[in-house]
């Protein structure tokens, strides 16, 4: 597989009938749900699951998505989503990059960038990342790369 960066965290997906819109391909909103699923599973793999978020009264919430839809996905296709954490100020913000690939032909269907902000769950307000976030997400931090969306 030709990933934009080395060692992505990867999940496998299958395009289901419910993912298809009136134009016959996966709906753009479904792509966003796939990105969220990949990011969440990556967080869980780093030990930052929902129970830990609740214990710490903190969460990483989406501030901004930038998505380039490059090719369509169709029912029955097997896909892979890779993610990397590429930036963190270790205070409030963190940036992830994503790549959605169709392994059968190596086509990249989507590239995306998401900026997250750390919030306090009890108030919904931005709050400094706890040390558990700095260390947990920091383990996955990639070197910066020049790919611009």
């Amino acid at each position: 597989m030709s990933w934009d960066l080395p060692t992505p965290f990867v999940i496998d997906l299958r395009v289901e009938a419910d993912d298809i819109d009136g134009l016959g391909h996966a709906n753009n909103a479904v792509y966003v749900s796939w990105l969220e699923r990949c990011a969440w599973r990556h967080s869980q793999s780093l030990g930052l699951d929902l129970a830990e978020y609740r214990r710490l009264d903190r969460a990483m919430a989406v501030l901004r998505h930038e998505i380039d839809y490059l090719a369509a996905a169709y029912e029955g296709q097997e896909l892979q989503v890779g993610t990397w954490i590429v930036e963190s100020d270790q205070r409030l913000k963190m940036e992830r990059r994503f790549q959605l690939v169709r392994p059968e032909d190596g086509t990249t269907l989507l590239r995306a960038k998401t900026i997250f902000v750390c919030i306090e769950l009890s108030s919904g307000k931005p709050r400094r990342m706890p040390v558990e976030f700095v260390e947990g997400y920091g383990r996955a931090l990639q070197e910066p790369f020049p790919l611009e969306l």
Side-chain angles (χ1 to χ4, degrees):
M1 192 60 54
S2 180
W3 295 106
D4 292 338
L5 277 178
T7 62
F9 177 85
V10 177
I11 65 168
D12 297 316
L13 301 168
R14 180 178 170 79
V15 183
E16 303 296 339
D18 288 346
D19 299 332
I20 304 303
D21 64 17
L23 300 177
H25 55 72
N27 185 277
N28 63 313
V30 173
Y31 285 77
V32 174
S33 72
W34 292 338
L35 301 181
E36 178 191 20
R37 185 182 316 167
C38 185
W40 187 241
R41 288 190 185 163
H42 187 215
S43 290
Q44 291 169 323
S45 78
L46 297 170
L48 298 167
D49 60 12
L50 189 55
E52 186 69 351
Y53 274 25
R54 288 181 177 147
R55 183 184 75 79
L56 297 167
D57 192 28
R58 295 290 187 278
M60 296 305 293
V62 172
L63 178 67
R64 177 181 175 83
H65 284 303
E66 290 182 35
I67 302 172
D68 288 333
Y69 296 96
L70 305 171
Y74 299 94
E75 186 176 349
Q77 289 184 330
E78 302 289 335
L79 308 176
Q80 291 185 313
V81 182
T83 190
W84 305 264
I85 298 172
V86 297
E87 192 175 318
S88 174
D89 66 9
Q90 300 185 339
R91 292 183 306 277
L92 290 174
K93 290 185 181 178
M94 179 177 79
E95 180 181 318
R96 281 186 180 276
R97 296 286 174 110
F98 297 90
Q99 183 180 0
L100 176 66
V101 176
R102 187 173 49 227
E104 74 182 53
D105 62 6
T107 299
T108 294
L109 306 181
L110 169 149
R111 285 190 175 91
K113 173 172 82 172
T114 300
I115 298 172
F116 294 85
V117 65
C118 186
I119 62 166
E120 181 179 60
L121 286 172
S122 58
S123 70
K125 294 183 180 184
R127 292 289 186 260
R128 190 174 184 91
M129 288 182 199
V131 68
E132 292 89 344
F133 280 26
V134 173
E135 291 174 357
Y137 289 118
R139 286 193 305 273
L141 188 61
Q142 295 282 320
E143 292 296 317
F145 67 107
L147 177 66
E148 288 299 319
L149 293 178

